[in-house]
Amino acid sequence: MNHSKNIDLMLKLICESIEKTSNQQLKRFDLTLSQGRILGYLHERKGLKTSQKDIEEYFAVTHPTVIGILHRLESKGFITSEFDAEDKRIKNIYLTEKEAPIYLIMSEFRQQVEQKMLRKLTDAQIKELQYLLNIIYNSIQA
């Protein structure tokens, strides 16, 4: 079977390959790709209030999914959570110092994976791919 003609299957296979490789790398830190992505998001937002709702919206995942990931990250000591002083319905998430040394390693690994994926593409092709993926994502969300 020619996988390349089946776009949704190709996207699935690419995502699964990235997830498998990433999970293997993150295993040494007792993390999964989903947990690593959330740590990366929180790292990029350092100094800003970040609520569970912010994470749900950014990653387009459900409340129970985020709660489960955050619970595991908190039990591993990577994050803390506190109810917002101004609105007790909001729970804000904060990184601990345990995340800092891991962020650099995760960031370097993410760059290596992206370089490997895109190594045979020109800069123009990469820009076109980004453009097309945005169109596809927006179309499927509509």
Side-chain angles (χ1 to χ4, degrees), residues 42-53:
L42 291 169
H43 185 91
E44 296 299 322
R45 292 182 51 84
K46 250 186 194 170
L48 301 172
K49 279 187 181 181
T50 304
S51 69
Q52 291 177 355
K53 186 75 171 166

Side-chain angles (χ1 to χ4, degrees), residues 4-127:
S4 65
K5 291 187 179 186
N6 192 337
I7 293 172
D8 68 325
L9 178 58
M10 286 303 299
L11 290 171
K12 178 186 180 297
L13 293 173
I14 291 166
C15 289
E16 286 177 352
S17 178
I18 291 168
E19 186 168 6
K20 180 181 177 187
T21 303
S22 299
N23 284 335
Q24 288 170 344
Q25 286 291 322
L26 291 170
K27 191 175 192 171
R28 63 185 161 150
F29 304 112
D30 193 27
L31 292 170
T32 65
L33 179 57
S34 296
Q35 294 166 354
R37 284 180 173 152
I38 288 179
L39 289 177
Y41 173 71
L42 291 169
H43 185 91
E44 296 299 322
R45 292 182 51 84
K46 250 186 194 170
L48 301 172
K49 279 187 181 181
T50 304
S51 69
Q52 291 177 355
K53 186 75 171 166
D54 294 329
I55 296 168
E56 290 168 29
E57 290 174 358
Y58 184 81
F59 290 101
V61 294
T62 65
H63 181 73
T65 299
V66 169
I67 294 296
I69 294 170
L70 293 177
H71 176 74
R72 286 185 290 283
L73 286 171
E74 195 162 15
S75 70
K76 294 174 185 182
F78 288 103
I79 64 166
T80 60
S81 60
E82 299 173 6
F83 286 102
D84 192 272
E86 298 168 12
D87 186 343
K88 297 293 183 195
R89 297 171 297 173
I90 298 173
K91 200 169 195 182
N92 293 315
I93 311 302
Y94 303 96
L95 291 171
T96 66
E97 58 279 346
K98 185 176 180 178
E99 174 272 344
I102 295 171
Y103 175 78
L104 182 59
I105 295 167
M106 288 189 314
S107 182
E108 288 173 0
F109 176 71
R110 188 181 71 246
Q111 289 174 357
Q112 290 170 1
V113 169
E114 191 164 302
Q115 286 173 351
K116 185 176 180 182
M117 276 192 313
L118 303 175
R119 70 179 174 223
K120 294 185 179 181
L121 300 178
T122 66
D123 287 344
Q125 288 172 324
I126 292 169
K127 286 180 182 175

